[in-house]
Amino acid sequence: CSERTASLGVCPETRPHIARNCSATRAEHNTPPGTYPEPARNSPAHRGELIRHSGRAQDRACRRPAGYAPAANHAVLAGWAGGTLSRISLDGVELASFDTSDHDIFVEDADDDRVPKRLAYPVLAPGGLLFVNACSEEPEQDEILALDTESLQLRYRFGLGLLDNTYDMAVVGDELFVCDCNNDRLQVFSLAGEHRRTITGEWKRPCELCCVKDRLYLVEDADYVPETPLEGDILFGKRILVMSLQGD
């Protein structure tokens, strides 16, 4: 598989930073933004034991899982390989689903074949919204889908032509921050999909992002190898950069 597919094909339980953007879960546990409630000490989750296996839901949605968005009583899983989303109850029952092939969300490849886009990094937002990356191997064909959190019905889509190889996203207030990896920048949108600004800096290939107390924490792609190494390039992919919401 490609480098990007491999990086996304990890078990979602290893990606706790995605959960930090879930306002519903934070509110339920009375935890501040940018944090996630710790499991009770000596509980199965604390000990790292398997609590349950949602077989049918995982068969459908977790082919090369590419992120999940947890809420108070369910979670939304993204399946990279199938271009699917599934809303799963805490008991493992599939409550709703979304498939890119059912909505003409595709890109034409070099052979003019229609290839469904793959979904990754879902994140919850106020107003019953769920944002998810619709990814393509073709340059500048990534976009963001906005769906209803409960029904997973498509509301609107945006960002086409502004994004190339999108990774993690973070909702902060009324804005959505998106890692625009191949362009070495962050793109900022309103929750209605309006492009507000572009943030650039000394980083290369931003791929992980979260917000704590109005500070953005950005991680570079650890697999980045510059074509023409420059002094200091040895640090790329090994840094956590901290900045304001304006990129300072």
Side-chain angles (χ1 to χ4, degrees):
C1 61
S2 69
E3 172 186 316
R4 183 179 184 196
T5 303
S7 68
L8 290 172
V10 297
C11 177
E13 282 75 14
T14 66
R15 305 298 305 282
H17 65 278
I18 299 175
R20 294 171 183 157
N21 297 318
C22 178
S23 58
T25 303
R26 291 199 307 265
E28 180 189 19
H29 293 274
N30 193 30
T31 55
T35 64
Y36 192 68
E38 290 292 333
R41 186 169 296 276
N42 295 324
S43 68
H46 187 270
R47 296 191 300 269
E49 298 175 6
L50 177 65
I51 298 175
R52 66 175 62 91
H53 179 284
S54 62
R56 185 176 64 178
Q58 290 189 355
D59 288 344
R60 173 184 175 85
C62 288
R63 295 166 53 202
R64 291 183 181 171
Y68 73 123
N73 58 2
H74 68 271
V76 177
L77 308 179
W80 169 263
T84 60
L85 288 174
S86 284
R87 186 166 75 88
I88 310 297
S89 73
L90 299 184
D91 295 325
V93 177
E94 186 178 65
L95 304 174
S97 62
F98 178 86
D99 194 318
T100 54
S101 62
D102 295 333
H103 295 269
D104 285 334
I105 300 173
F106 67 93
V107 65
E108 292 187 356
D109 63 14
D111 298 323
D112 293 329
D113 293 328
R114 291 161 56 105
V115 180
K117 293 184 178 180
R118 298 167 174 177
L119 302 182
Y121 300 111
V123 60
L124 295 173
L129 284 173
L130 173 81
F131 295 110
V132 65
N133 286 337
C135 309
S136 168
E137 297 295 337
E138 300 298 318
E140 297 187 350
Q141 291 299 309
D142 288 9
E143 59 182 315
I144 309 298
L145 307 182
L147 302 97
D148 180 86
T149 301
E150 296 292 323
S151 66
L152 297 186
Q153 292 297 307
L154 181 64
R155 290 191 182 181
Y156 48 92
R157 47 204 289 194
F158 57 93
L160 188 64
L162 293 174
L163 303 165
D164 189 0
N165 199 10
T166 50
Y167 272 74
D168 210 359
M169 301 188 291
V171 173
V172 185
D174 63 349
E175 294 185 322
L176 176 69
F177 291 74
V178 183
C179 289
D180 187 9
C181 187
N182 282 359
N183 291 320
D184 301 328
R185 63 193 183 187
L186 298 179
Q187 297 284 26
V188 186
F189 300 89
S190 73
L191 299 188
E194 175 188 9
H195 183 252
R196 289 188 170 175
R197 62 186 180 279
T198 297
I199 299 176
T200 58
E202 63 178 88
W203 63 79
K204 297 289 185 181
R205 297 182 58 84
C207 65
E208 312 289 350
L209 186 69
C210 72
C211 180
V212 181
K213 296 181 179 180
D214 292 331
R215 304 295 288 179
L216 292 172
Y217 291 77
L218 180 149
V219 179
E220 297 169 308
D221 182 3
D223 295 324
Y224 170 69
V225 178
E227 293 182 3
T228 55
L230 301 174
E231 183 178 357
D233 278 357
I234 191 173
L235 296 177
F236 290 149
K238 301 176 182 178
R239 303 178 296 181
I240 298 176
L241 296 100
V242 185
M243 68 195 78
S244 71
L245 300 183
Q246 301 302 318
D248 302 322

